[in-house]
Amino acid sequence: MSELFDAIDALVASRSPLPPPAERKRLRQSHGLTLEEVATALDVRRATVGAWESGRTEPRPPQREPYAHLLKQLARLYPSPTTNEGGTPPATPAATAPSAAVEVASSAPVVAVASPVPAPAATPPSPAAAPRPARRPGAPRAAAAGSPASAGSGVYAHGPLLVLDADEERQVTGFGTGGLLLDVPARSLPAVVKWALAEARVGAEKLHASGKDADPLLVLTAAACERYGLPAVLSDAERSAGRLPEGHQVIKLLERAGWKLTRRGLGPWARIYRPVTGGRRQCVQLCIPSWNALDDRAWGHAAKLEPAELARVLGVYAQRVMTPVGSTAVSGLELMTALNPPTRAGEPDQDGKRHSEHRPGSLGKEPVDPAPCEAIDGHPVLAHLPRFHIRGPQERLFEEAYDWARDLTDAECMQPHLVGIDVNLAFGAAANGAVVGLDASPEHVTRPVFDPAVPGSWLVDLSHVDLNRVKIAKQWRDLEGDLLPSPFTPTGEHPEGPAWYATPTVAYAVELGYDVAPVEAWVRPRSGRFLDGWYKRLRDAYVATMADLKVAEKLSPGEFLKAMDGHKGRDPELGIVLDAVKMTVKGGIGKLQEKARGGGWVPGQAWPALARPTWRPDIRAAVISRARVNMHRKMLALAAATGRYPVAVLSDCAVYTADGPSPLDVLPYDQDGKTVPGSFRLGVSPGMVKHEGTQDVLWGVGVLEQLGAEGKVANLARYIKTGEVTVRDNGE
């Protein structure tokens, strides 16, 4: 008889009432529990608990009863406004029976559109409840609160990307933007690629009329990798090579199905394609976070997010910047071409056919060699130089960001605080309006007359420029030049003779009131503002994301500093997007001078990056020159107005001593909120500044003494943010 009662108890337990899927996640998060913790307690995989919370599957015995008990206990601690007196949400069909929302009879995907109910931006998104998934409690509007719309009409109705995740039963679900869920019927990687192109309706429209649409992006979780025969993580050898070996079974499957891989193979970022036929492009981009596709230096903890949350982060980035095609640096470089394509459709010929032609204002389709002074060591144009030859400033263009520091004066040691201020998107602001050479190789001239409107590299002696007496706003001013870094070298040291400089650096010497007489130059008469559209898109992405984090434009200095306090914590996912946008700016500029990588390369031989029209060290030099000059111009204006001088500068961060801990103790603002013209201004826009960090002067003196005793140079701007001194292998 007892066995019968046990059977009845088991039958009842198999149908233990559960709250709706969205409520399950709310309860777990309210108690600070991770999916991993719940999964460990119930002896299931993390993906299984995630599937319960998304409504893709329902728990079954023996886990269902203890899971229901857990949720009941949590509901008593964190009651919902819609719960009953007993602490359990009202029973619904979705709460009392296993969902069949993703069980389909055909290969067509099941589409679930997110509920449009708005909610606080600080609440993270979640997979939606079946059969009609909802966004995280109160999803934000598409553009205003950082979550692109999930569904619409047209060929790309389901957004730019899907995050594919597999549950314990090997069912694969695609998490889209805005809470969208798609059932993925494909059972192999070749089938997934075919499905993505034929049925998923994923991708993004081109950013320029002469450009091309963005390929669908499929992000594979570790569980999805295992489902499709890929390793969850790469072995040491595979990680070193950056890809799977050519003979891997999945690669063979792709080849048998007629798919090809690019030269970088099947790695963290893989492009799978078929040759264009009939003018139709067939290409899918893969991103595999567990293979370190999302570098934590740019994407923070994005690789550890749940699928729906990761879809939101990448979706916002795709909407505001572009669909990622690699690292943020690679995406930043590709964005330049996407916004300024090299070709356009020409006029019809006599047969009515249109042919591709060069598009004015672009860099063109063909790569160009740099001037010898612009080439980095090992470039083929320098193959004639002796081995191990070291080029000095008279042979090589050294346009780099600031890394300068000095000792504190006695008066500065008496002030209690060191305050760091940081320029927002400094390289982006410098790219705005930069006139650069376009599609022609540089022309060599001797004894040229300097023209600030002509981009190029100039061999000129600037050692006569005296920072003790300079022109500011067309008026001569006397300053303590020894307390300022030189604007002409990245180390801040005064130049000692002729050296190569980019046009903006030489133009700044003229602006300071001094004549220049170049010895020779490499110039590019055909020029344009190639990066303006690139800057504008990244600027808009940055400002929009900051606005979502409650840091708006046109705030007063005090309001801005208050809004910046803990701004990333208001929505950690958008905080990831913000950092990714900033790294896109820096990385995109850096990629213009990508160096040779990997074994087997010999100096003097070409490397793959040189085949790109966007391998342009001269454009990189011009942008960095403008950024450094902009920084110096602001420091100069502040020194002339207040007598304050920086004690350290690192790229876009300057450190000053002050009587108080706030940037307002460094930057003079009047009652109307106005400050020194041409100097630093607090605000969110690129080129304006924010608070980088504050430390005690005694801390700074200690750091200088500690690293000085070890024979190392201490740049306080490197440590001002956290106060932690980390010494790198190179002594920095």
Side-chain angles (χ1 to χ4, degrees):
M1 185 65 69
S2 61
E3 294 177 355
L4 293 177
F5 280 100
D6 291 341
I8 293 298
D9 290 341
L11 184 62
V12 173
S14 70
R15 294 294 185 270
S16 297
L18 297 172
E23 177 68 5
R24 302 169 197 174
K25 182 169 186 177
R26 185 193 74 81
L27 292 172
R28 174 179 62 78
Q29 290 183 332
S30 297
H31 202 62
L33 297 175
T34 65
L35 285 175
E36 192 69 40
E37 289 173 324
V38 175
T40 300
L42 296 174
D43 195 24
V44 295
R45 292 177 54 199
R46 188 184 73 165
T48 301
V49 181
W52 296 345
E53 292 185 353
S54 69
R56 287 181 287 145
T57 62
E58 288 289 306
R60 294 180 296 191
Q63 284 83 16
R64 186 178 179 98
E65 185 176 18
Y67 183 53
H69 180 70
L70 168 66
L71 296 176
K72 185 175 182 181
Q73 295 291 94
L74 294 176
R76 291 172 178 169
L77 294 173
Y78 311 100
S80 168
T82 59
T83 54
N84 296 325
E85 293 182 1
T88 305
T92 65
T96 57
S99 170
V102 297
E103 296 177 6
V104 293
S106 69
S107 61
V110 172
V111 181
V113 181
S115 167
V117 182
T123 308
S126 69
R132 186 182 177 189
R135 296 180 188 171
R136 65 193 189 290
R141 290 188 298 273
S147 181
S150 62
S153 59
V155 66
Y156 303 131
H158 297 154
L161 58 92
L162 291 173
V163 178
L164 306 189
D165 188 37
D167 60 22
E168 197 172 38
E169 299 175 350
R170 296 173 62 82
Q171 296 292 323
V172 179
T173 300
F175 293 78
T177 56
L180 179 73
L181 291 180
L182 295 179
D183 177 65
V184 182
R187 298 185 179 183
S188 67
L189 190 58
V192 169
V193 174
K194 182 179 179 181
W195 171 82
L197 292 169
E199 301 179 48
R201 302 169 73 189
V202 174
E205 294 183 357
K206 54 193 174 186
L207 299 179
H208 189 279
S210 297
K212 59 186 180 182
D213 290 359
D215 298 320
L217 173 63
L218 301 180
V219 184
L220 305 184
T221 66
C225 285
E226 294 178 341
R227 172 65 181 84
Y228 293 126
L230 298 170
V233 296
L234 296 178
S235 66
D236 291 341
E238 293 165 345
R239 192 180 306 110
S240 178
R243 65 183 75 187
L244 292 182
E246 294 297 328
H248 193 278
Q249 60 180 358
V250 174
I251 296 179
K252 292 180 178 179
L253 284 175
L254 289 169
E255 292 173 347
R256 284 200 292 268
W259 296 103
K260 297 179 178 293
L261 292 164
T262 59
R263 186 162 41 192
R264 61 184 174 183
L266 186 48
W269 290 93
R271 192 179 291 275
I272 304 174
Y273 71 98
R274 281 176 176 158
V276 176
T277 56
R280 183 186 176 193
R281 179 180 172 88
Q282 297 184 75
C283 187
V284 169
Q285 179 77 55
L286 295 187
C287 168
I288 306 179
S290 60
W291 294 6
N292 200 34
L294 301 177
D295 188 346
D296 56 10
R297 291 172 296 182
W299 292 100
H301 64 283
K304 300 177 182 177
L305 293 175
E306 298 303 318
E309 296 162 351
L310 180 56
R312 182 193 180 213
V313 167
L314 295 178
V316 173
Y317 182 90
Q319 179 201 37
R320 294 180 176 173
V321 181
M322 69 176 296
T323 304
V325 293
S327 66
T328 50
V330 170
S331 296
L333 190 71
E334 289 294 322
L335 181 64
M336 296 179 191
T337 303
L339 293 169
N340 207 331
T343 60
R344 67 182 180 184
E347 294 296 325
D349 59 18
Q350 58 184 359
D351 297 325
K353 294 183 179 180
R354 292 181 180 271
H355 301 277
S356 176
E357 65 179 19
H358 172 68
R359 198 180 67 80
S362 73
L363 297 184
K365 290 184 65 176
E366 301 300 323
V368 295
D369 283 336
C373 63
E374 298 164 350
I376 60 177
D377 292 338
H379 193 282
V381 302
L382 305 175
H384 63 283
L385 293 178
R387 193 177 182 186
F388 304 121
H389 176 72
I390 299 177
R391 296 183 295 158
Q394 294 189 41
E395 296 179 271
R396 181 179 174 183
L397 180 69
F398 286 97
E399 292 287 8
E400 301 294 342
Y402 267 131
D403 188 350
W404 169 87
R406 63 172 174 83
D407 291 332
L408 277 65
T409 65
D410 291 343
E412 289 169 340
C413 287
M414 297 302 294
Q415 293 185 291
H417 300 287
L418 289 164
V419 180
I421 52 177
D422 181 78
V423 180
N424 303 322
L425 291 191
F427 294 123
N432 184 35
V435 178
V436 301
L438 295 178
D439 58 331
S441 297
E443 300 175 7
H444 184 254
V445 291
T446 57
R447 299 294 175 183
V449 176
F450 176 69
D451 186 347
V454 176
S457 300
W458 310 77
L459 181 62
V460 59
D461 189 350
L462 299 181
S463 61
H464 63 292
V465 177
D466 184 7
L467 294 181
N468 291 296
R469 185 167 175 76
V470 296
K471 269 189 177 180
I472 301 177
K474 299 182 180 181
Q475 294 184 352
W476 285 98
R477 303 292 295 270
D478 293 325
L479 299 171
E480 296 182 59
D482 292 341
L483 299 181
L484 284 167
S486 168
F488 310 127
T489 63
T491 61
E493 297 177 359
H494 198 69
E496 297 180 350
W500 285 99
Y501 301 100
T503 296
T505 302
V506 185
Y508 188 56
V510 176
E511 179 184 326
L512 294 177
Y514 292 87
D515 295 329
V516 296
V519 177
E520 59 177 306
W522 291 88
V523 296
R524 295 173 172 82
R526 278 193 283 178
S527 59
R529 296 168 61 156
F530 170 72
L531 293 173
D532 277 10
W534 182 81
Y535 159 76
K536 184 179 185 303
R537 185 160 181 87
L538 289 167
R539 183 260 180 208
D540 291 348
Y542 178 81
V543 171
T545 307
M546 290 292 282
D548 289 344
L549 294 171
K550 309 304 180 186
V551 185
E553 295 184 277
K554 298 182 180 179
L555 295 176
S556 69
E559 292 172 336
F560 171 73
L561 291 174
K562 184 177 180 180
M564 285 293 294
D565 187 18
H567 66 290
K568 291 183 183 178
R570 296 179 191 128
D571 192 326
E573 292 164 21
L574 288 182
I576 295 174
V577 176
L578 185 70
D579 288 340
V581 171
K582 292 190 286 187
M583 290 300 291
T584 301
V585 174
K586 289 185 178 181
I589 297 300
K591 274 283 184 179
L592 292 168
Q593 185 179 279
E594 183 177 357
K595 298 179 180 179
R597 296 182 297 173
W601 174 75
V602 177
Q605 294 182 351
W607 58 94
L610 301 187
R612 297 193 319 251
T614 49
W615 196 87
R616 292 292 300 271
D618 58 297
I619 296 180
R620 174 186 179 273
V623 171
I624 293 178
S625 168
R626 282 171 59 91
R628 195 181 64 247
V629 164
N630 288 344
M631 194 77 176
H632 193 274
R633 186 183 289 113
K634 296 175 187 297
M635 294 187 294
L636 203 66
L638 183 63
T642 67
R644 293 187 182 277
Y645 294 83
V647 299
V649 184
L650 183 66
S651 187
D652 46 11
C653 174
V655 176
Y656 287 84
T657 59
D659 292 326
S662 169
L664 294 175
D665 296 306
V666 175
L667 308 179
Y669 278 90
D670 59 24
Q671 293 182 347
D672 296 329
K674 296 181 179 179
T675 187
V676 178
S679 184
F680 299 105
R681 293 176 54 207
L682 289 165
V684 73
S685 296
M688 300 177 77
V689 299
K690 59 182 179 295
H691 185 202
E692 180 69 2
T694 296
Q695 304 295 333
D696 295 337
V697 165
L698 290 178
W699 165 88
V701 172
V703 172
L704 293 174
E705 291 178 349
Q706 173 192 341
L707 297 185
E710 298 174 5
K712 301 180 178 69
V713 178
N715 188 325
L716 297 179
R718 179 171 284 112
Y719 317 115
I720 192 70
K721 187 170 187 176
T722 63
E724 297 180 5
V725 179
T726 55
V727 181
R728 304 174 187 171
D729 292 340
N730 61 1
E732 295 181 349

